Amino acid sequence: MIETGSFEKATYAGKGGPLFRLALATNLLTVLTLGIYRFWGKTRIRRFIWSATRFQGDAFEYTGTGLEKFLGFLVAMVFLAVYLGIVNLLLFFAGIRFVLEPTTEAELTMQSTVIFVSFLALLPWMFFAEYRSRRYKLARTRFRGIRFGMESQALGYVLRALGHTLLTTVTLGLLLPRQTFGLAKYMTDRSYYGDARFVQSGRWTALYGAMKHVFIGAVIVIAAIVMTFVMAGMNPSDPAGMTPWAILPVVFGYVWLLIGFVYYRVQSFAYLMSNTTLEGEVLFASNPSLKTILTKVIVGTILLVIAAAVVLLGYGLIVAGLFASLGEGAEDIGIVRLVIIAGLYLLLLAALSAGALALITHPVIAHIVATSSVANAEALSRVRQRAFDKGADADGFADALDIGGAI
Amino acid sequence: MSAPAPVEAVFFDGHSARRHMLRVRPTDDGAGLALLAEGAEAEVVWPLSHVRRLPGEADRGMLTLTLHHDTGDETPRDPARLVLGDAQMIAWVLAYAPALDRRDLRRGTARRVVTRLAAAAAAFCVLFFVLLPRLALFLADRIPPETEVVLGQSVKQQIEWLLTVDGEQRALTCTGAEGAEALAIMRDRLTIGLDLPYPVDLVVFDHAMVNAFAAPGGHVVILRGLLDEAETPEEVAGVLAHELGHVAARDPLRAAMRSAGTAGLLSIVLGDFTGAALIAVMGEHVMNAAYSREAETAADGFAHDLLRTAQVDIAGLADFFDRLDRDGTGLPEYIATHPQTAGRADAARGEASDQGVTRPVLSGAEWMALRSICEG
């Protein structure tokens, strides 16, 4: 039986203003360098967030470098380009050869296979990238000078993830908790702080509680759609008149469903973290408040939309002005104006993305950190250092496949 | 600045996560930090020249220091950490440590980066410009002609749909009987002796655009606007000969295969940042435009030879280009899918100048019939 001391909270010291300025600068540099700077930019943002996360007054450290990410990306890029190029070509060829007008039984099967494969071609790589990305982030995180780490068993993760995805799809989402728990456990059980091992305990069925709003939302949507058809059937003379009334419950159910998914993510994260232990002694707890998170997301989104509207208005005025300055008889817009319009558009995107990070993502991160706590932290002082992990691709696959996420 | 008084600081030795409290003071010569652990006999000195700050800290009230030490890690840093919280000590270190934020790149880093970058760029170029196009051609040739004809039929229907999308949906093919006969005469004149894998299916679409195109499988479409714009049947024959060049080279199919192979590759390179999608689309257009210009020039050359063999006056083609050039599209060559029209006109005129005997491709009556093919 583990002795439970009291839980001590983590703290978050980062502010949205400085983060926005940092993200704006890195986004602009990224656009100006046609994307090359993004590795250094992401590194700086991670450093900001990591070093703002504190426990017992000591800050976390992100020790990854932009150069490492860049070199890792080059490796990933070549792998993926070869794979994707060949697969795309073969699928297109098979598509033309077999999909156009299948005449025999065999060709019909080929047709279904081709369509199926094209959806799945990148899926294994995305799971691979997910595992490698988490491993890289852990391997480059330090606390009190000691490295975190994760074992290099990405292949097992890919196979399990494919299996889980299949099961979840086949059961129309009913087995999603099993997938969430199974994959989280696989990764957590292979994670380390120094020489101390993390273990994920708990049962996947406990996550059904977190799914409840997803179920409710789904039921509302389905019921509303069924009602629409029933009422349209009862009112054959005026089916179109029912539409406004029918739309409302569907929208209502859909919004509930969306919030249900947020609820699921938050609650499952809290459950998973609260059932994680380190070397059998250190305990963790997570108590995020869904209300707080939703409020922060909604308020942040409203602020962002207002800011975006103002900026877009300015952009529209500039574009209109450029067109107005064309004068009579001009045949086409000219390359200079095109460059200005495209350039300003990219700047706009950069600013909005920085705004989204600072207004929406950042407050949620702050809240999650501030509601996380640790018990028996004295056991941490016995943890010993872990060897350096070279990390060949430095989450380059995640970058190439666009699954990196905000941080 | 006078040397600050000794202070307590948090220390992690990098071998275990245990927290140590040390007394830190500047050394007597002001060139280092002297650290004294509880119960330790002697001080450990950290020379200021080797002291480095941890980058990117969000908090000014804390200064985390470590030493430059080539440990083989991602950066050459000692795993130990010294955390200063005292404002005076922090100010003193910030003022006197000469290389606090130096990056300390290892020797040979630049060379390593350049080599990797060159290797990746080379691999990508080989893939994009050699491997995939070759594979695309190989596969395109494996598609049986009958399949290509069916594919071309559906492509033609899609374009027909696109051309009527802002008006009413209707079949665009013009059906004037005499015009169709004249068209067949022109087609047969040009295709005599031409060995194509499938018959040429030539029709006119009733649309005002001045254009003609070839879909896979020998489907060639001339738009009515081109018939209206042309002044002699030799001009139309010239355009038809050019499209036949595309048919003979199976250009439409090859272009589609090549696009399919290289689609999305550029977005892998550009990866995950805001605005990447826009740059990727523009970039792919520029890259594919070069191939398309090559194919267009080849089709022009094929047209010259075909017209010469059929004894049709190449000057017609040159006249048509001249008229097109006057209207102009204004796109710079490197993003245009066709070579500059003036250049094409000059090439055609050059060919026409040493052409031998020519015969008219259509009689006056046949030309009139062709021009009114869409009115029947």
Side-chain angles (χ1 to χ4, degrees):
Chain A
M1 192 62 196
I2 304 173
E3 282 179 29
T4 315
S6 61
F7 278 90
E8 223 179 304
K9 278 202 173 152
T11 55
Y12 190 78
K15 298 270 176 289
L19 180 62
F20 175 74
R21 284 195 288 279
L22 176 64
L24 185 63
T26 57
N27 281 352
L28 288 181
L29 281 169
T30 304
V31 167
L32 284 174
T33 55
L34 293 185
I36 299 182
Y37 187 77
R38 68 180 181 275
F39 308 103
W40 286 264
K42 218 162 198 187
T43 301
R44 288 170 70 182
I45 292 189
R46 282 184 191 163
R47 278 201 204 119
F48 181 96
I49 294 177
W50 265 234
S51 68
T53 307
R54 312 267 166 88
F55 179 65
Q56 291 183 335
D58 301 315
F60 281 81
E61 231 183 283
Y62 180 73
T63 61
T65 63
L67 190 63
E68 215 179 20
K69 264 176 89 68
F70 174 64
L71 293 178
F73 168 75
L74 291 180
V75 171
M77 180 193 88
V78 174
F79 268 98
L80 282 177
V82 171
Y83 175 83
L84 203 63
I86 295 182
V87 168
N88 268 348
L89 209 50
L90 288 176
L91 282 178
F92 190 72
F93 171 77
I96 294 184
R97 187 79 181 70
F98 302 114
V99 175
L100 274 185
E101 274 177 37
T103 48
T104 68
E105 181 79 37
E107 286 188 353
L108 261 172
T109 334
M110 275 299 299
Q111 183 179 50
S112 332
T113 318
V114 164
I115 297 176
F116 193 61
V117 172
S118 55
F119 282 134
L120 300 187
L122 277 181
L123 202 57
W125 286 105
M126 295 174 97
F127 290 133
F128 179 75
E130 226 179 291
Y131 189 90
R132 299 283 298 196
S133 172
R134 166 111 168 227
R135 183 177 157 212
Y136 176 71
K137 284 183 206 161
L138 277 178
R140 295 291 178 266
T141 303
R142 292 202 201 208
F143 181 65
R144 295 178 175 167
I146 304 297
R147 290 189 196 88
F148 286 80
M150 196 154 133
E151 286 170 17
S152 66
Q153 290 173 8
L155 185 58
Y157 183 77
V158 172
L159 293 173
R160 272 174 187 70
L162 286 173
H164 274 296
T165 308
L166 183 65
L167 274 178
T168 305
T169 318
V170 157
T171 58
L172 297 179
L174 281 174
L175 283 183
L176 181 62
R178 186 158 186 274
Q179 175 174 348
T180 310
F181 186 85
L183 294 179
K185 181 165 169 61
Y186 185 86
M187 287 205 278
T188 303
D189 285 356
R190 283 158 187 75
S191 304
Y192 289 81
Y193 172 55
D195 62 351
R197 204 184 184 132
F198 284 97
V199 172
Q200 177 76 60
S201 21
R203 305 164 47 86
W204 66 273
T205 44
L207 290 180
Y208 275 110
M211 281 275 274
K212 64 178 183 246
H213 287 291
V214 172
F215 289 136
I216 297 178
V219 164
I220 296 181
V221 169
I222 294 174
I225 293 180
V226 165
M227 280 299 293
T228 314
F229 279 112
V230 166
M231 282 157 81
M234 290 199 311
N235 226 354
S237 53
D238 183 25
M242 303 304 307
T243 324
W245 292 106
I247 286 286
L248 274 175
V250 174
V251 169
F252 177 70
Y254 183 66
V255 170
W256 195 302
L257 190 64
L258 286 179
I259 297 188
F261 272 113
V262 175
Y263 181 77
Y264 176 68
R265 275 207 70 190
V266 171
Q267 294 298 91
S268 58
F269 171 82
Y271 178 79
L272 288 168
M273 182 161 170
S274 304
N275 283 282
T276 305
T277 53
L278 179 63
E279 204 68 8
E281 292 186 56
V282 180
L283 306 177
F284 301 92
S286 170
N287 302 292
S289 149
L290 183 78
K291 197 162 75 122
T292 315
I293 290 181
L294 276 179
T295 316
K296 286 181 192 280
V297 169
I298 292 174
V299 167
T301 310
I302 292 178
L303 286 175
L304 186 66
V305 166
I306 294 176
V310 168
V311 172
L312 275 172
L313 188 64
Y315 178 66
L317 288 174
I318 294 178
V319 172
L322 281 176
F323 272 104
S325 71
L326 264 180
E328 296 277 323
E331 293 221 326
D332 69 288
I333 185 143
I335 203 79
V336 172
R337 286 185 181 79
L338 268 177
V339 167
I340 296 180
I341 290 179
L344 282 180
Y345 176 70
L346 290 172
L347 287 183
L348 220 149
L349 285 182
L352 285 180
S353 154
L357 180 66
L359 287 171
I360 304 175
T361 316
H362 190 242
V364 173
I365 295 177
H367 176 75
I368 300 270
V369 170
T371 53
S372 302
S373 41
V374 182
N376 297 342
E378 322 78 56
L380 289 175
S381 58
R382 273 172 268 134
V383 170
R384 302 211 56 84
Q385 182 62 281
R386 184 182 171 73
F388 172 63
D389 177 357
K390 200 155 176 292
D393 68 289
D395 84 355
F397 281 95
D399 185 284
L401 292 171
D402 273 14
I403 65 170
I407 58 172
Chain B
M1 191 180 303
S2 62
V7 291
E8 284 253 299
V10 176
F11 181 74
F12 301 107
D13 63 5
H15 301 297
S16 86
R18 175 181 288 280
R19 208 168 210 247
H20 303 272
M21 295 304 291
L22 302 180
R23 194 201 65 183
V24 176
R25 65 175 185 89
T27 51
D28 298 323
D29 60 2
L33 284 170
L35 300 95
L36 184 67
E38 249 181 61
E41 307 258 303
E43 287 177 325
V44 170
V45 173
W46 277 21
L48 277 185
S49 57
H50 278 68
V51 164
R52 302 284 181 267
R53 162 169 45 183
L54 286 191
E57 283 190 294
D59 192 344
R60 309 273 168 184
M62 249 167 64
L63 182 64
T64 310
L65 299 173
T66 181
L67 282 177
H68 171 229
H69 182 196
D70 203 343
T71 47
D73 283 0
E74 59 272 30
T75 37
R77 295 280 179 270
D78 200 274
R81 303 285 186 258
L82 180 70
V83 186
L84 299 175
D86 177 72
Q88 263 104 356
M89 187 64 73
I90 290 177
W92 186 82
V93 171
L94 288 177
Y96 288 101
L100 206 54
D101 291 319
R102 190 187 292 165
R103 292 260 306 272
D104 295 316
L105 288 177
R106 290 194 179 84
R107 283 234 306 249
T109 299
R111 190 166 30 98
R112 191 162 62 104
V113 171
V114 168
T115 326
R116 284 258 211 134
L117 193 54
F124 193 78
C125 284
V126 164
L127 185 67
F128 202 91
F129 294 114
V130 177
L131 260 172
L132 285 180
R134 290 250 177 96
L135 189 55
L137 283 185
F138 174 82
L139 289 176
D141 290 341
R142 294 276 157 314
I143 294 189
E146 312 83 57
T147 314
E148 194 181 337
V149 172
V150 172
L151 174 69
Q153 182 66 32
S154 73
V155 169
K156 195 167 92 170
Q157 274 167 358
Q158 278 184 18
I159 297 187
E160 191 173 8
W161 182 85
L162 267 175
L163 289 173
T164 58
V165 83
D166 47 350
E168 353 77 74
Q169 287 298 309
R170 57 199 164 91
L172 285 182
T173 311
C174 297
T175 51
E178 288 169 2
E181 267 178 42
L183 198 59
I185 292 175
M186 185 186 288
R187 180 197 65 205
D188 294 340
R189 171 84 172 266
L190 289 177
T191 55
I192 284 183
L194 205 56
D195 182 22
L196 296 172
Y198 23 66
V200 175
D201 171 31
L202 177 61
V203 297
V204 176
F205 273 1
D206 187 8
H207 193 280
M209 200 161 45
V210 177
N211 215 333
F213 64 88
H219 297 274
V220 178
V221 174
I222 297 181
L223 300 181
R224 188 204 76 227
L226 194 145
L227 292 178
D228 295 338
E229 177 80 11
E231 283 173 17
T232 67
E234 277 71 23
E235 295 183 19
V236 179
V239 171
L240 180 58
H242 173 95
E243 296 305 327
L244 287 174
H246 286 314
V247 169
R250 292 181 97 179
D251 278 337
L253 182 64
R254 288 181 174 174
M257 290 292 283
R258 217 175 32 232
S259 284
T262 55
L265 281 195
L266 207 51
S267 44
I268 287 187
V269 174
L270 291 177
D272 179 17
F273 74 99
T274 325
L278 178 64
I279 296 182
V281 165
M282 296 188 326
E284 281 197 22
H285 179 85
V286 170
M287 285 168 110
N288 284 320
Y291 276 113
S292 145
R293 281 199 304 279
E294 210 182 294
E296 293 299 328
T297 311
D300 277 351
F302 184 93
H304 299 154
D305 292 338
L306 197 64
L307 292 169
R308 202 181 280 277
T309 312
Q311 295 181 328
V312 175
D313 193 358
I314 303 177
L317 186 58
D319 289 337
F320 184 72
F321 282 142
D322 277 336
R323 205 166 314 116
L324 265 191
D325 193 30
R326 271 206 303 279
D327 301 334
T329 54
L331 279 178
E333 168 135 3
Y334 58 86
I335 61 174
T337 49
H338 287 62
Q340 293 284 30
T341 321
R344 302 171 83 187
D346 289 339
R349 212 159 283 294
E351 293 286 329
S353 65
D354 62 355
Q355 193 173 14
V357 169
T358 65
R359 304 175 279 123
V361 64
L362 290 180
S363 72
E366 287 162 350
W367 177 227
M368 291 291 294
L370 181 57
R371 290 195 97 179
S372 47
I373 187 174
C374 296
E375 290 158 28

